[in-house]
Amino acid sequence: MTNKVKIAVFASGSGSNFAAIEEACQKGELNAEIVLMVTNKPEAYVVKRAEQAGIPVAAFQPKQFDTKEAFEEAILATLREAGAEWLILAGYMRLVGHTLLSAYPSRIVNIHPSLLPSFPGKDAIGQAVEHGVKVTGVTVHLVDEGMDTGPILAQRAVDVVDGDADQTAEAIHAIEHDLYKETLNGLFE
Ligand code: GAR
């Protein structure tokens, strides 16, 4: 395939979604190339995954900057240098601000482990179990200035397994990895 879409993946955690996207790029199941992995958590496991895959890592911690704008300007300079065309959030646990949103209008995508607008924010799976819902799910959406808001691109329902967060998380992650790949393929066509 030609003209691969250049993406930067943003992540703060273990990086199973990062790994699934990276594998899909390698196998040619996603017409994209990860040019950069951006993290706000240099100690996160996703950094090891990126290094093992030979993907450049850019770690920026907000506390190193006076303002959110300065923090995002630094990220933006690195994204431009890497030639990133789309920003793919995969467990990036920070709100994206004005600087990145205006540099990448309608080109920032997020995945969230619930059927939004239910259970936005942190620990969406724990929130679903706590509320006793029987069905939760996964949402892929374009990012705006809100917390897990923005136009919804795709959703898939997942049963809550025995009221148990760990088992439900396992089921959700498996769906996330497929749904993110499918949705990104649709966007990059
Ligand atoms: C994923 O479940 C993702 O949907 C969630 O963080 C997890 C990261 O897992 N994102 C959010 O909650 C965003 N609000 P991973 O590090 O294994 O990809």
Side-chain angles (χ1 to χ4, degrees), residues 4-149:
K4 287 188 180 175
V5 177
K6 293 184 176 185
I7 62 176
V9 177
F10 283 52
S12 313
S14 108
S16 74
N17 280 283
F18 165 83
I21 293 167
E22 206 277 323
E23 190 185 336
C25 291
Q26 288 304 326
K27 287 184 172 168
E29 294 170 358
L30 188 57
N31 188 30
E33 174 193 1
I34 305 177
V35 293
L36 194 66
M37 198 284 287
V38 177
T39 189
N40 61 318
K41 298 259 182 214
E43 72 284 4
Y45 186 61
V46 67
V47 171
K48 285 201 176 55
R49 293 196 201 250
E51 285 169 355
Q52 275 163 14
I55 308 277
V57 173
F60 293 98
Q61 292 180 284
K63 65 181 181 199
Q64 297 168 316
F65 299 88
D66 289 337
T67 61
K68 180 158 185 152
E69 197 180 5
F71 167 65
E72 290 202 341
E73 286 291 350
I75 296 176
L76 187 54
T78 313
L79 290 169
R80 290 203 163 127
E81 213 170 297
E85 298 167 296
W86 285 80
L87 311 187
I88 310 303
L89 312 190
Y92 182 64
M93 303 311 270
R94 288 199 67 80
L95 274 184
V96 174
H98 168 75
T99 303
L100 288 176
L101 284 166
S102 51
Y104 286 89
S106 298
R107 286 198 168 220
I108 309 180
V109 190
N110 183 41
I111 191 161
H112 184 76
S114 76
L115 293 175
L116 291 170
S118 292
F119 312 131
K122 285 188 181 157
D123 193 20
I125 300 168
Q127 292 183 56
V129 169
E130 181 79 11
H131 279 78
V133 299
K134 301 300 175 203
V135 177
T136 182
V138 175
T139 302
V140 179
H141 65 96
L142 290 178
V143 172
D144 64 12
E145 57 288 330
M147 166 94 73
D148 299 317
T149 55

